[in-house]
Amino acid sequence: MKKIAILGSTGSVGTQALEVISTFKDSFEVEVLTAYNNVQLLIEQAEIFQPNAVVIANEDKFNILSEALKKTPVKVYAGADALEQIVQIESIDIVLAAMVGYSGLIPVINAIKAGKMIALANKETLVVAGEMITGLARERNVSIIPVDSEHSAIFQCLVGEPDAVEKIYLTASGGPFRGKTRQSLQKVTKSEALQHPNWAMGAKITIDSATLMNKGLEAIEAHWLFNLHPDQIEVVIHPQSVLHSMVQFTDGSIKAQMGLPDMKLPILYALTYPDRIKSDFTRFSFTDYPELNFEAPDTDSFPNLFLAYQAMKAGGIMPCVMNASNEIAVEAFLNDRIGFYDISLVIEKTMEKILNVRHPGLADYQNADKEARSFAESLIRF
Ligand code: MN3
């Protein structure tokens, strides 16, 4: 029986992880659930799964939460400090980091320090502070198992032969605007951007998929997770999203991991690794997919992918700066404050503005994040 803490249990990955856990009740138990703001869903989840503790990050919701759960033995906490500390409790075996954005950083660092296995769905954590996080994980002998479907694919391809990698291919669906020109993208709307062709995900990542920033973040995530040079990471557009990613080995042989686009599979694998357990998830049918297509990404129409590679190559705090300005720009786009293309402009200008810092520590990341956010905000407030 593995005891799981889910950070971000009310989000897309969090709710799917709870579905997985309730399907495999004999293998997993929910120890901790945390949410940022969605107190009603957190209450429902706590009543069903009866965890040891729940945390709501937004302290204004504490009273609602504790009132609703007062007749249960579930311990109730609120606030950022509680969120950062709860991951260290003795009884947790695996921390599933499924919150969105930069907010995942400190809880993940604390969980690694406490020796917890990490199932990582929060890609921003590695984008922002990959050098520090992977160094810390090595030092504490902690495994980071990717939940992101592409990284899970690569991780699965590398089992048994992690050292003979020539390069990897990260597949991308291309999002809802694949094939559109720069010109025609000027006028796309929020609701168009929120229509992802294959995956059901939260709003932030869906916009990141439409701009291809998601793939840029994933390239940086892969850079740190698998210790690869930027030139060893190639993005290939694959609209059907059934080849989840590929590894090319030094002899030229390629392994791919395939399956239906369903996050429950990589979630299950991360929770059962190094084992596999029998599931009755819908099986892939080759004859349902008579054609699989591949094309090169269009970085002219989707400059965010190019910006992410620039940040990855620059290293230091630049990926953190890029991520912060992207979070601000995506939120502004979702609030109808800027257009689709302005997202890239905000990121580009912020990356030009802020000076890089080599071999940053936690304080450097925190400063860079703050500085980038306020500069990006200042660009939007015109
Ligand atoms: Mn992905």
Side-chain angles (χ1 to χ4, degrees), residues 182-310:
R182 197 172 176 127
Q183 190 66 24
S184 63
L185 282 171
Q186 303 282 3
K187 293 221 152 46
V188 295
T189 64
K190 179 173 77 178
S191 61
E192 289 171 310
L194 284 170
Q195 298 302 317
H196 195 277
N198 301 332
W199 296 95
M201 307 176 290
K204 159 74 168 48
I205 186 173
T206 303
I207 300 302
D208 282 343
S209 297
T211 64
L212 289 198
M213 178 53 92
N214 184 50
K215 217 44 60 175
L217 298 174
E218 290 183 353
I220 301 174
E221 185 185 7
H223 166 63
W224 291 116
L225 266 178
F226 307 116
N227 193 23
L228 297 169
H229 188 271
D231 296 340
Q232 291 176 289
I233 305 166
E234 183 170 337
V235 171
V236 60
I237 304 293
H238 164 49
Q240 292 84 7
S241 297
V242 294
L243 260 79
H244 296 317
S245 279
M246 299 75 98
V247 175
Q248 181 170 304
F249 292 91
T250 46
D251 61 356
S253 178
I254 295 175
K255 280 192 203 169
Q257 187 267 338
M258 297 181 75
L260 291 170
D262 183 345
M263 282 307 294
K264 290 203 282 296
L265 250 176
I267 291 168
L268 179 63
Y269 186 76
L271 298 182
T272 59
Y273 173 82
D275 303 318
R276 291 186 188 271
I277 58 177
K278 188 169 169 45
S279 88
D280 58 3
F281 295 159
T282 309
R283 289 340 191 212
F284 179 78
S285 159
F286 280 90
T287 50
D288 285 350
Y289 290 85
E291 254 183 68
L292 297 178
N293 302 100
F294 303 93
E295 56 192 65
D298 175 359
T299 47
D300 183 52
S301 290
F302 302 97
N304 280 5
L305 184 59
F306 172 77
L307 292 171
Y309 266 80
Q310 267 197 325

Side-chain angles (χ1 to χ4, degrees), residues 123 148-150 218:
K123 63 193 77 177
D148 209 347
S149 60
E150 297 80 358
E218 290 183 353

Side-chain angles (χ1 to χ4, degrees), residues 140-162:
R140 303 291 164 113
N141 210 7
V142 162
S143 308
I144 301 179
I145 315 298
V147 171
D148 209 347
S149 60
E150 297 80 358
H151 305 76
S152 176
I154 295 189
F155 190 82
Q156 292 180 57
C157 291
L158 290 174
V159 167
E161 46 179 346

